[in-house]
């Protein structure tokens, strides 16, 4: 970016509620392609070399914003206002003490930001006080007149406007300060135009599609995801034996830092694998004393909550317990029922079965019990 204006700062507008998106929290903090929506834009801007990034957030949204942007360098949070224009103005004011030469103003709801668009915008600022990315209109257009077709609109002179929008900082700040408080500005280019600033058009990108409806989030995630898990624990005297959340009377139990429920541990890893979020050890380290003797039910509930947070529910699971003893058959139904409860899934979606290794290996010698699991998650 050596040929582009410097220094360059950025504003990300993330102060809305995003209610139409149908997410359990404002859409800018909801997960999209494995990351919070706002994080995509912040990382793209940081990767482009922009070290000042002000994010306008909703009132009482600081905790969600910090969690979404954890580890992204150069980010400053500012509580937004009642309107988009007010939120942008407050973010621009936050840059005044260390004023940049240029600023990019971007909507968090457009996470598909690329460096190519950034370069086009900043290059245009060498000759114009403002620049915006646009796309052609490909559909026929018409005016609507009480439910009837009105006059046609000339699509060849119309453009779809995107963000980020780029401006010389001092001029766009002045324009926002002069904007009449009662008026609503659709975007910053309108604010700039009202102040008499010329705004250049550069090619946009279809990847900058705005996330608006629940379907936009559904399209971002595969319909189903699959993970596998495997675990082993040693049999030892004086330990309780827990399998699939059910306590079984047996001369020996499984040894481990927690209750050592080998079947649930394998299932937890399967679910974590399906959402690509590490393994059971990364979430519940054996070195952490708080998990000493802990019920593995807690681990499974946590894994299920992570799946829900990414927009998935349990489709079905299949658990295989590998041991010579005890016999699993008499306990299978109780195990299925307990797992179904923990997974918040119907009983028909839970399979538990057992096999032996024909007295071969450590399980064949009854030194321990192994388990493997497969979990399929479906988009909720």
């Amino acid at each position: 970016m050596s040929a582009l204006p410097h220094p360059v700062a950025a504003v990300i507008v993330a102060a809305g509620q995003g209610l139409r998106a149908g997410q359990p929290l404002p859409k800018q903090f909801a997960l999209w392609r494995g990351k919070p929506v706002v994080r995509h834009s912040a990382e793209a801007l940081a990767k482009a070399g922009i070290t000042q990034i002000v994010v306008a957030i909703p009132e009482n949204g600081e905790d969600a914003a910090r969690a979404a942007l954890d580890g992204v360098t150069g980010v400053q949070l500012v509580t937004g206002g009642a309107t988009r224009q007010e939120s942008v103005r407050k973010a621009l004011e936050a840059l005044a003490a260390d004023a940049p030469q240029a600023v990019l103003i971007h909507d968090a709801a457009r996470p598909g930001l690329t460096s190519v668009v950034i370069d086009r915008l900043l290059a245009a600022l060498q000759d114009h006080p403002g620049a915006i990315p646009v796309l052609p209109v490909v559909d026929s257009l018409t005016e609507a007149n009480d439910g009837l077709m009105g006059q046609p609109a000339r699509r060849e002179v119309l453009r779809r406007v995107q963000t980020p929008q780029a401006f010389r900082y001092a001029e766009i700040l002045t324009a926002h300060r002069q904007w009449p408080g009662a008026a609503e500005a659709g975007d910053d280019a309108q604010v700039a135009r009202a102040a008499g600033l010329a705004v250049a058009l550069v090619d946009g990108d279809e990847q900058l599609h705005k996330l608006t409806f629940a379907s936009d989030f559904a399209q971002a995630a595969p319909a189903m995801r699959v993970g596998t898990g495997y675990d082993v624990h040693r049999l030892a005297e004086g330990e309780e034996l827990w399998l699939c959340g059910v306590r079984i009377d047996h001369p020996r139990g499984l040894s481990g830092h927690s209750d050592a429920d080998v079947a649930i541990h394998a299932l937890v890893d399967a679910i974590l694998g399906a959402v690509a979020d590490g393994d059971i050890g990364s979430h519940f380290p054996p070195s952490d004393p708080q998990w000493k003797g802990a019920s593995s039910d807690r681990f499974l509930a946590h894994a299920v909550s992570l799946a829900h947070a990414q927009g998935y529910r349990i489709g079905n699971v299949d658990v295989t317990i590998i041991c010579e003893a005890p016999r699993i058959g008499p306990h299978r139904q109780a195990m299925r029922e307990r797992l179904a409860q923990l997974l918040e899934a119907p009983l028909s979606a839970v399979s538990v079965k057992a096999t032996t290794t024909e007295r071969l290996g450590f399980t064949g010698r009854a030194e321990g019990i192994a388990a493997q699991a497969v979990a399929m998650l479906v988009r909720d």
Side-chain angles (χ1 to χ4, degrees):
M1 293 173 58
S2 59
L4 303 177
H6 269 281
V8 179
V11 167
I12 301 177
V13 187
Q17 294 301 321
L19 300 179
R20 288 179 296 173
Q23 300 302 303
L25 66 168
K27 67 181 177 184
Q28 61 269 36
F29 304 131
L31 290 177
W32 185 81
R33 296 185 178 174
K35 298 178 185 178
V37 169
V38 67
R39 188 179 186 91
H40 289 270
S41 297
E43 288 182 342
L45 291 164
K47 185 177 180 180
I50 296 174
T51 57
Q52 285 180 286
I53 304 173
V54 179
V55 182
I57 62 172
E59 188 175 358
N60 300 320
E62 184 171 346
D63 288 345
R66 292 197 182 282
L69 296 166
D70 182 44
V72 182
T73 58
V75 171
Q76 176 185 354
L77 302 181
V78 171
T79 301
T83 65
R84 183 190 186 282
Q85 185 276 330
E86 186 180 350
S87 295
V88 173
R89 181 184 58 76
K90 292 177 74 172
L92 291 172
E93 297 283 6
L95 291 166
D98 189 16
Q101 181 180 343
V103 63
L104 294 164
I105 304 175
H106 184 52
D107 290 336
R110 297 182 184 271
L113 181 55
T114 65
S115 60
V116 173
V117 173
I118 293 174
D119 289 347
R120 288 174 189 156
L121 290 165
L122 296 181
L125 291 189
Q126 296 179 37
D127 300 311
H128 306 278
I132 60 174
V134 298
L135 292 173
V137 176
V138 296
D139 296 317
S140 295
L141 298 174
T142 183
E143 296 177 358
N145 186 2
D146 292 329
L148 298 175
M149 181 177 179
Q151 293 297 316
R154 294 179 57 201
R155 65 184 179 188
E156 62 269 20
V157 299
L158 299 176
R159 296 293 183 270
R160 293 182 285 153
V161 177
Q162 301 180 309
T163 70
Q165 299 181 350
F167 304 94
R168 296 172 187 166
Y169 172 75
E171 293 175 76
I172 194 62
L173 176 60
T174 299
H176 270 280
R177 285 172 173 172
Q178 295 174 346
W179 183 259
E184 178 63 63
D187 65 4
D188 304 286
Q190 293 183 27
V191 175
R193 287 259 299 163
L197 302 179
V199 178
L201 306 182
V202 305
D203 289 339
D205 193 323
E206 290 288 358
Q207 293 186 66
L208 281 167
H209 168 74
K210 185 177 181 180
L211 303 180
T212 306
F213 303 106
S215 59
D216 295 322
F217 286 81
Q219 292 168 2
M224 63 183 66
R225 302 187 69 160
V226 177
T228 65
Y230 179 81
D231 196 33
V232 173
H233 279 282
R234 182 184 300 276
L235 284 164
E237 301 288 344
E239 300 284 354
E240 294 182 347
L241 179 58
W242 288 86
L243 290 172
C244 295
V246 175
R247 186 176 182 274
I248 298 173
D249 288 331
H250 194 64
R252 292 182 297 165
L254 291 172
S255 176
H257 188 62
S258 63
D259 64 7
D261 189 326
V262 67
I264 283 186
H265 292 187
L267 186 52
V268 169
D269 267 352
I271 296 171
L272 293 175
V275 295
D277 197 353
D279 58 22
I280 192 169
S282 62
H283 290 264
F284 306 99
S287 58
D288 191 335
Q290 71 172 308
W291 307 122
K292 178 66 176 176
S295 170
S296 295
D297 294 4
R298 298 170 62 185
F299 306 160
L300 186 55
H302 176 72
V304 171
S305 72
L306 293 178
H308 289 172
Q310 291 200 28
Y312 290 91
R313 59 179 171 81
I314 301 298
N316 71 287
V317 301
D318 184 18
V319 179
T320 302
I321 301 170
I322 307 166
C323 63
E324 292 294 330
R327 292 182 61 232
I328 301 302
H331 310 284
R332 179 181 289 109
Q333 188 64 15
M335 291 177 175
R336 292 180 64 218
E337 290 174 356
R338 181 56 179 152
L339 289 181
Q341 181 183 26
L342 294 170
L343 295 167
E344 301 176 28
L347 186 63
S348 60
V350 179
S351 168
V352 175
K353 57 187 188 294
T355 188
T356 71
T357 56
E358 301 293 336
R359 301 193 180 277
L360 298 174
F362 71 92
T363 58
R365 295 188 297 270
E367 295 172 1
I369 297 177
Q372 60 185 28
V374 177
M376 184 180 75
L377 309 182
V378 294
R379 195 167 60 210
D380 193 353

